[in-house]
Every structure is written in C-alpha cells, then in structure tokens.
Amino acid sequence: MGCAVSKSGDKEIEYNVEEQDLISLPFASIPKNVSKITCANNKIKELPAELSTLRTLKEIDASTNALTTIPADFSTSESIEKLLLFANKIKELPATLPPNLTELNLFNNQIKKLPPSIGDLAKLEEVNIAANKLMMTTDAMFVKWSAVTVLNLYDNNLVRFGSLVNCVSLTELRLSGNAIEAMPTLSSHPSLKIFEMHKNRVSVIPDGYFEATPSLERLSLWGNMLTAVPTSLLSCAGLLGVQLQENKIEALPGGPYPPRLETLFLHDNLLTTLPQGLKRCFALKRVNIAKLNLDEAGTDVAEAMKALCIQPGTSGIFWDKSGVQHKSA
C-alpha cells in the first residue's frame, strides 16, 4: 500500500501514501527508520499515536484529510520538526505539541483557541494558523518565538492580539481579515519585508511605528478605519508597495517618499489633495486614486503620477479619479 522512498544516499526514508483514498494510516506498514510521512489528500480521521515512537521521524504531512484532533502522545516526540496539517477539521489542539517543531501549519481548520504551551516552542521558524476561528492571542504565546520568520494568522476572528516584541526574526507577517483594533506591538524587526494588516478595524497608528521595520517592502492596510498615515512609513527606504485604499485617510505625509515605490493604492479615502513629494516617485507602475475628490494641487500631482505610470515600456497602470484605467503603451 505505502511506498517507502529512499533519499539522500539511503539516509532519509519517506513513506508516501498520498491520494490513496485512505480512512486510516496503516502504522504497521511504516518503516521504523522513516524520516518523513506523507499521507496528504486522503480521508484519514485520526493519526496513530504510535507515530510518536518513531525516533527518526522528522516530518508529517497529513494535509487535506478529515482529522479532528492531534494525538496528545506527539508531545513526547523529540524528533518531529514539521507538522503539516492544513485543510483538516481540527477543532482543538492538545495541551502540548512536539517540543522541537520548526514548522507548524494548521491553515484552514476550526481551531478556536491556542494552548498556552504553544509559546514554549522556541525552535519554531514558520507558523501558519490562518483561516481558523481564533478570537485572541496573548503576549506569552510569542515570548519565545525569536526564531519565527513567517507568521500567518489571517482570516480568523481575532480582536485582541499579543505583543510581537520578541519576534525579532520576522520576515513576513500576515494578520489580515480579523477584527483587530490596534497594530501589534513591535520592537526592532530589521528583516520584516511583508506586513499585511488589511481588513481589520485599526483607526490609529503611532507616529514612530514603522521605525521598527526599516526593511519593509510591502505594506497592506486597506479596509481599516485609518484617518492618517505616520511619517515613519517614509523611513522604509526599500518600500515597493503600499495599499491604503478603503480607509478614511484625510492626509498623507509630505515626503520625501522612498525612491523604489512602485505601487500606491489610495482609492476610496477622504483625501482632497496629494503631497508634492509623490511627483518624485520615479519608479511608480501602479497607482489608483479612484473616488478621490482632489483639489487643483492634488490633481496636478495625480497627473504627474499618471505620466510616470504610463510611460512607454513600464507595463504600468493608472486609475484616475473616475476609476478609468490608463495603461502604458
């Protein structure tokens, strides 16, 4: 039934029963020296607790099944480093998880809360618990996550969010599609490049907030309740894309703006003018100012941005105040 595949000069054994229409995982057929088990895309409702006894097992991919729980015995395994359990029906996590996890993917399950012990997983590097039913996190959950580079908690029901002060290795942070009312607390995150916070309820961002993210390249804040944008955003010299549409923004910082800025979405806001500094964003390729009631000075800036976007050879697009799309030749 299963297929054991040797890799890396017979040093690693993968047991693969992907897409076999299985309703259970046959533990007896799994090699005792297995390093990876792939049983994705089946109909498995429960993983054998005995998997925790396999001393060389590093990775389990049981994504896209019918799992409702994770065996509590997994917490005794010191070898398991990766748990890929996305697209299942898991509602609750065990009190503790394997202590040496580096990757945890629980995307698209039905989890409502996280056990406090998840904060003890100090070796985690990638965490995806997006598209669940989480309502809150606590500061303690993130205290030991200094090695986490990718954190995805988007599309939950989060209202309160814990501090990320200790998550100093972050490169990607996605918290969109929640009901969060305040930006997460940051400290120094020199490697953070992608920050997605759209479709929340944030109304204010502290003035110096983006001083903590000097390497930020892409920021998505659309669909919030913002009335202003902090000047500190302009200190992110490598900024490539900013999405601020569908807020209540009344004014933008004067500049100067990051020279590499390519994408700027401002549509559906309360802006009546645009800063002159935007005329000098010579890398612009995508700009949307639809539904902005701009004054003469703002219209002049908009025309300058349009010229930058649609110059020949740029593949750029500019959406004007009426929503009409203009493309480069």
Side-chain angles (χ1 to χ4, degrees):
M1 179 181 294
C3 178
V5 181
S6 176
K7 293 185 177 181
S8 303
D10 296 332
K11 293 181 180 180
E12 294 187 1
I13 302 295
E14 177 182 356
Y15 178 78
N16 193 320
V17 287
E18 188 173 10
E19 296 183 350
Q20 298 292 315
D21 207 30
L22 298 176
I23 60 173
S24 63
L25 185 63
F27 179 75
S29 66
I30 301 175
K32 297 300 181 284
N33 62 339
V34 69
S35 57
K36 178 179 179 180
I37 294 175
T38 301
C39 56
N41 297 292
N42 283 290
K43 300 176 182 178
I44 299 170
K45 296 182 179 180
E46 186 177 4
L47 292 174
E50 293 88 347
L51 293 179
S52 63
T53 65
L54 301 175
R55 302 299 183 187
T56 58
L57 180 59
K58 294 181 179 180
E59 179 176 345
I60 299 174
D61 182 355
S63 56
T64 316
N65 274 285
L67 300 176
T68 58
T69 61
I70 300 174
D73 288 359
F74 277 19
S75 65
T76 65
S77 172
E78 296 187 357
S79 64
I80 297 176
E81 297 176 355
K82 297 184 179 182
L83 270 181
L84 309 180
L85 304 177
F86 56 88
N88 277 284
K89 300 178 180 180
I90 299 170
K91 294 183 178 181
E92 187 174 357
L93 299 180
T96 54
L97 291 165
N100 294 317
L101 282 180
T102 60
E103 182 175 350
L104 178 62
N105 193 327
L106 295 167
F107 171 77
N108 193 15
N109 277 281
Q110 301 171 23
I111 301 166
K112 292 184 177 181
K113 64 179 181 178
L114 301 175
S117 64
I118 200 168
D120 294 326
L121 301 178
K123 296 183 180 181
L124 278 174
E125 296 175 3
E126 295 187 23
V127 181
N128 190 340
I129 317 180
N132 277 275
K133 298 181 179 181
L134 298 177
M135 297 186 68
M136 66 174 292
T137 63
T138 64
D139 292 357
M141 290 178 180
F142 306 112
V143 167
K144 297 181 181 179
W145 285 15
S146 60
V148 171
T149 58
V150 179
L151 178 56
N152 293 327
L153 288 169
Y154 59 89
D155 291 346
N156 275 284
N157 298 320
L158 292 170
V159 177
R160 296 179 55 193
F161 195 82
S163 169
L164 297 177
V165 166
N166 292 331
C167 298
V168 294
S169 298
L170 283 173
T171 60
E172 301 177 17
L173 176 60
R174 297 180 177 89
L175 303 175
S176 59
N178 283 287
I180 301 171
E181 297 180 348
M183 299 292 281
T185 303
L186 302 180
S187 56
S188 176
H189 306 268
S191 300
L192 185 62
K193 295 181 181 297
I194 298 174
F195 191 174
E196 297 180 358
M197 194 73 186
H198 53 271
K199 294 178 68 177
N200 277 289
R201 298 179 181 176
V202 179
S203 59
V204 177
I205 303 177
D207 288 341
Y209 189 81
F210 292 105
E211 293 172 2
T213 62
S215 299
L216 191 63
E217 294 182 355
R218 301 196 181 276
L219 175 66
S220 182
L221 283 167
W222 63 269
N224 277 280
M225 302 170 67
L226 296 172
T227 59
V229 179
T231 304
S232 59
L233 180 61
L234 307 188
S235 68
C236 303
L239 202 60
L240 297 173
V242 180
Q243 297 188 41
L244 297 171
Q245 69 269 27
E246 299 174 23
N247 277 282
K248 300 179 180 180
I249 298 171
E250 299 176 350
L252 295 174
Y257 279 76
R260 295 175 59 196
L261 188 64
E262 296 178 352
T263 301
L264 182 61
F265 287 177
L266 300 171
H267 50 287
D268 290 291
N269 274 291
L270 301 179
L271 293 165
T272 56
T273 194
L274 296 172
Q276 293 292 314
L278 290 174
K279 288 183 175 181
R280 292 182 286 279
C281 293
F282 301 117
L284 283 174
K285 295 180 180 179
R286 300 282 193 279
V287 174
N288 194 332
I289 61 163
K291 299 182 182 180
L292 298 188
N293 186 22
L294 297 177
D295 60 16
E296 184 176 349
T299 300
D300 177 64
V301 174
E303 286 299 315
M305 291 194 293
K306 175 183 175 181
L308 290 169
C309 288
I310 66 173
Q311 57 186 325
T314 62
S315 300
I317 304 176
F318 180 86
W319 290 264
D320 64 23
K321 292 184 290 184
S322 298
V324 177
Q325 186 181 97
H326 305 265
K327 295 184 178 180
S328 61

